[in-house]
């Protein structure tokens, strides 16, 4: 087609061309808006997991990020700004005092509280306790996840199973880790990381 023929087929009305351009811009804007709305309203896999804390979406960790046994109170408070002082500290043998607590905390899909025990101004024990009474399995799946983590990190466990509950422990150097599930009177799951100083009856 010649340039002359091409020019003859073009619309001569500038207002008509402007209307066409505006219509195209409006259509493109509507399409982009619909796409953005779809992206923001559709649930992502992460949001779905957050709505179901019993699904075990939170990976098991030995200790919270930034926390190490042996650290002082100031370092702990810096690592965990949301930590709060316990009004009635729990006391264990060996001079351990549960002075600080963080809640809510999710471990193995269970929501509970984490208590930090000090002795001699050093963090010596971190204990997570969760009430599993509202779960159909009474925390069995969460306990199984803790077992998997312990076995993958430290190898076979020293275990005990009886009507009073299930217990699995690992020792590496002066570090002791244990998971516990108590079915009655209230199903409870416990995850403890501590400096090894022998086992007390009060812990079991």
């Amino acid at each position: 087609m010649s340039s002359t023929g091409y020019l003859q087929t073009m619309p001569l009305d500038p207002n008509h061309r402007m209307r066409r351009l505006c219509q195209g811009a409006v259509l493109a804007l509507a399409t982009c808006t619909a796409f953005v709305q779809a992206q923001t309203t559709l649930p992502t896999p992460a949001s779905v997991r957050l709505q179901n804390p019993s699904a075990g979406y939170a990976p098991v960790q030995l200790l919270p990020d930034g926390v190490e046994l042996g650290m002082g109170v100031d370092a702990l408070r810096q690592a965990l700004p949301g930590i709060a002082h316990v009004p009635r500290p729990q006391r264990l043998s060996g001079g351990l005092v549960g002075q600080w607590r963080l809640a809510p905390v999710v471990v193995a899909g269970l929501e509970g509280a984490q208590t930090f025990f000090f002795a001699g101004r050093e963090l010596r024990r971190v204990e997570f306790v969760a009430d599993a009474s509202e779960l159909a399995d009474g925390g069995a799946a969460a306990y199984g996840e803790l077992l998997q983590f312990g076995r993958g990190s430290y190898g076979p466990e020293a275990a005990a199973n009886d009507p009073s509950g299930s217990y699995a422990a690992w020792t590496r150097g002066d570090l002791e880790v244990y998971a516990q599930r108590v079915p009655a009177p209230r199903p409870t799951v416990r995850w403890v990381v501590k400096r090894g100083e022998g086992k007390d009856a009060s812990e079991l």
Side-chain angles (χ1 to χ4, degrees), residues 8-194:
Q8 289 175 348
T9 61
M10 291 290 292
L12 299 179
D13 184 359
N15 292 329
H16 178 72
R17 283 185 292 175
M18 183 62 67
R19 285 196 298 272
R20 293 288 298 273
L21 289 173
C22 290
Q23 290 173 352
V26 170
L27 180 61
L29 180 60
T31 302
C32 292
T33 301
F35 176 79
V36 171
Q37 290 177 344
Q39 293 296 311
T40 55
T41 56
L42 286 176
T44 62
S47 66
V48 171
R49 289 195 297 270
L50 287 172
Q51 293 169 5
N52 185 13
S54 64
Y57 68 87
V60 178
Q61 292 180 281
L62 183 65
L63 291 170
D65 291 336
V67 175
E68 297 179 358
L69 295 181
M71 69 193 317
V73 173
D74 290 341
L76 178 66
R77 296 180 67 181
Q78 184 175 2
L80 302 174
I83 202 168
H85 195 269
V86 178
R88 295 182 179 179
Q90 182 182 0
R91 298 181 183 274
L92 301 177
S93 64
L96 289 171
V97 182
Q99 297 175 310
W100 299 91
R101 180 169 295 172
L102 185 65
V105 176
V106 177
V107 174
L110 289 180
E111 185 176 289
Q114 210 156 30
T115 304
F116 300 84
F117 291 78
F118 282 80
R121 298 185 179 181
E122 291 186 353
L123 178 63
R124 306 297 296 269
R125 174 187 174 109
V126 180
E127 175 178 303
F128 169 82
V129 180
D131 181 355
S133 58
E134 295 185 1
L135 299 179
D137 68 350
Y143 180 75
E145 189 172 339
L146 294 172
L147 284 179
Q148 291 181 2
F149 176 85
R151 291 167 180 168
S153 302
Y154 306 107
E157 71 275 11
N161 293 282
D162 54 51
S164 65
S166 302
Y167 174 88
W170 297 266
T171 301
R172 176 174 292 181
D174 65 347
L175 179 69
E176 290 187 10
V177 180
Y178 77 79
Q180 184 182 32
R181 176 174 173 259
V182 179
R186 173 178 292 179
T188 303
V189 174
R190 178 178 280 104
W191 176 245
V192 176
V193 180
K194 63 174 186 170

